Amino acid sequence: MLVPEVAAGAAGELDELRAACRVAVAHLSGAESLVVVGADTSTVRREPPFGGTLAPWGIDKRIGEETSSPLPLSLLIGAWLLQDVHFGNIQFYSVAADATPGECAALGQQLTSTDAALLILGDGSACHGEKSPGYDDPRAEGFDAAVADALAKGDTAALLDLDAALAIELLAVGRAPWQVLAGAAGRPETTELLHRSAPYGVGYLVASWR
């Protein structure tokens, strides 16, 4: 829904969310290299060329380069967010949605050694209300509130403590990428929660750590 063409008539409702994403990406623009991390079925470093299409989600919009190995949706949205930002070196990593917190933290520590900026992509719970993709679950609000608090404070321990099984039940696919961030980051000096909302029953959180 971040991509206006996919959101179609509802695109304007997400303008504030997109603006927050642009601010977060702008904070990365001074980095010489960037690693983009998003959830998928397996943990793997993606090989160039990087790209794909949003055709499976209703619109034949190509993002990035032609490739026989398209990026998963999370990383494809990352590529879309970066279309107007130049980096000398960009890498894409997928992390398995069911990876353990320890496995996620280990990947984060591995990425830290590259001295690159990170763009982490992942949704909050998709169970906010009866019209949400996962129907209503009263635990969704508390889960996303805890994530928002951790992102606002730069609390890596709180992110690593997120319950992986509960995240799966709440369709919160951001859990694994957030825990990669927790493994990669020391205590950030500056943190900012730029946006939090749950349009169409799905939790969106945008934060910047520096």
Side-chain angles (χ1 to χ4, degrees), residues 28-35 86-91 114-117:
L28 302 172
S29 61
E32 292 185 3
S33 60
L34 177 71
V35 178
H86 175 72
F87 291 91
N89 177 41
I90 300 181
Q91 300 177 48
T114 67
D115 196 30

Side-chain angles (χ1 to χ4, degrees), residues 4 15 26 30 33 41 48 54 67 88 90 102 117 119 128 130 133 145-146 153 158 162 172-173 185 198-199 201 205:
D15 282 346
S33 60
T41 56
L54 290 171
T67 175
I90 300 181
L119 176 61
H128 292 275
E130 295 180 359
K153 296 177 179 177
L162 291 174
V173 297
L205 305 102

Side-chain angles (χ1 to χ4, degrees), residues 99-158:
T100 67
E103 291 169 338
C104 295
L107 176 59
Q109 291 168 358
Q110 174 188 334
L111 297 179
T112 302
S113 66
T114 67
D115 196 30
L118 298 177
L119 176 61
I120 305 292
L121 296 125
D123 295 345
S125 174
C127 298
H128 292 275
E130 295 180 359
K131 296 184 178 180
S132 66
Y135 196 65
D136 184 52
D137 191 312
R139 301 172 296 175
E141 173 59 28
F143 182 90
D144 279 4
V147 174
D149 186 64
L151 291 174
K153 296 177 179 177
D155 191 340
T156 56

Side-chain angles (χ1 to χ4, degrees), residues 11-141:
E13 298 176 30
L14 302 180
D15 282 346
E16 290 186 8
L17 170 60
R18 293 189 195 93
C21 290
R22 287 193 292 271
V23 170
V25 169
H27 288 167
L28 302 172
S29 61
E32 292 185 3
S33 60
L34 177 71
V35 178
V36 185
V37 180
D40 193 31
T41 56
S42 60
T43 298
V44 63
R45 175 181 173 175
R46 299 282 166 167
E47 298 298 330
F50 304 119
T53 176
L54 290 171
W57 295 275
I59 182 167
D60 190 14
K61 178 181 177 66
R62 176 157 295 281
I63 297 170
E65 302 178 57
E66 293 277 355
T67 175
S68 60
S69 181
L71 295 172
L73 180 60
S74 60
L75 297 180
L76 195 60
I77 294 301
W80 177 78
L81 288 170
L82 294 168
Q83 288 180 112
D84 298 322
V85 183
H86 175 72
F87 291 91
N89 177 41
I90 300 181
Q91 300 177 48
F92 288 82
Y93 276 82
S94 60
V95 57
D98 60 355
T100 67
E103 291 169 338
C104 295
L107 176 59
Q109 291 168 358
Q110 174 188 334
L111 297 179
T112 302
S113 66
T114 67
D115 196 30
L118 298 177
L119 176 61
I120 305 292
L121 296 125
D123 295 345
S125 174
C127 298
H128 292 275
E130 295 180 359
K131 296 184 178 180
S132 66
Y135 196 65
D136 184 52
D137 191 312
R139 301 172 296 175
E141 173 59 28

